Amino acid sequence: MSTEDKKDLIYMDVPAGRVVIRLRPDLAPKAAERLRTLAEQGFYDNVAFHRVIPGFMAQGGDPTGTGMHGSDLPDLPAEFTNKAKFERGTIGMARTSDPNSANSQFFIMFEPSPHLDGQYTIVGEVVEGMENVDKIKRGSGMSGVVNEPDRIAKMVPADKAEA
C-alpha cells in the first residue's frame, strides 16, 4: 500500500486487536484532520471507551474518561452531510447539544442509526477489524457508562506507523 493510499487510514489498537479506520475528508475535512492530528500526537493512546451502548455505539476520545472533556484544540463546526448515513462501522464526532461543539470524542456504530443522519458529523468508517470493535466492553443502563472500560492501546495514522 502506498503512502498516498495510507494518508486517510488510522490504525487503532484495542484489547481484541487492530481496527483500521478510513477517514472521510471528502465529507468532513476539519473533523478528519482533527482525528489524524490527535492520533499523530498520541492523544488517543490509553484513552477509554467510556460510553458503550449495546446495539448502538462505542464512544471514546475523552482523556479524562468522563465524557465531559476533549483536547485543548478549539471545538469544530458541524460538518453534516446527506451523502453518507450512520451504518454499522460508521464513525461520528460526539458533541454536546451545540452542533458546533465536536472536539476529540468520537463514536463507532454497532448498528445503523438513521436518527443520527444529518445530526452528527460523519468522520470515517471502520474498514477492517469491526469484529474487534464488537468485543469492546459494554456499559450498562441508558447512559452506557462503563466500569473499568476497555482502552485504546494506540491510535496512529497508518502512514506514520512503524512497519
Side-chain angles (χ1 to χ4, degrees), residues 47-113:
V47 169
F49 282 99
H50 64 273
R51 184 171 177 240
V52 184
I53 301 173
F56 183 40
M57 59 90 212
Q59 183 173 330
D62 173 358
T64 70
T66 64
M68 304 297 292
H69 301 281
S71 76
D72 291 335
L73 298 171
D75 288 348
L76 296 167
E79 295 177 284
F80 302 158
T81 184
N82 59 7
K83 295 178 182 167
K85 302 202 176 303
F86 280 92
E87 304 288 344
R88 176 172 163 76
T90 298
I91 300 171
M93 293 298 289
R95 60 173 177 80
T96 67
S97 58
D98 176 357
N100 300 307
S101 63
N103 186 293
S104 63
Q105 293 188 49
F106 63 91
F107 55 92
I108 305 171
M109 304 307 301
F110 292 127
E111 301 293 335
S113 293

Side-chain angles (χ1 to χ4, degrees), residues 114-131:
H115 68 281
L116 299 180
D117 294 347
Q119 304 294 314
Y120 286 80
T121 298
I122 294 174
V123 68
E125 61 205 357
V126 173
V127 293
E128 286 179 37
M130 192 62 196
E131 68 278 7

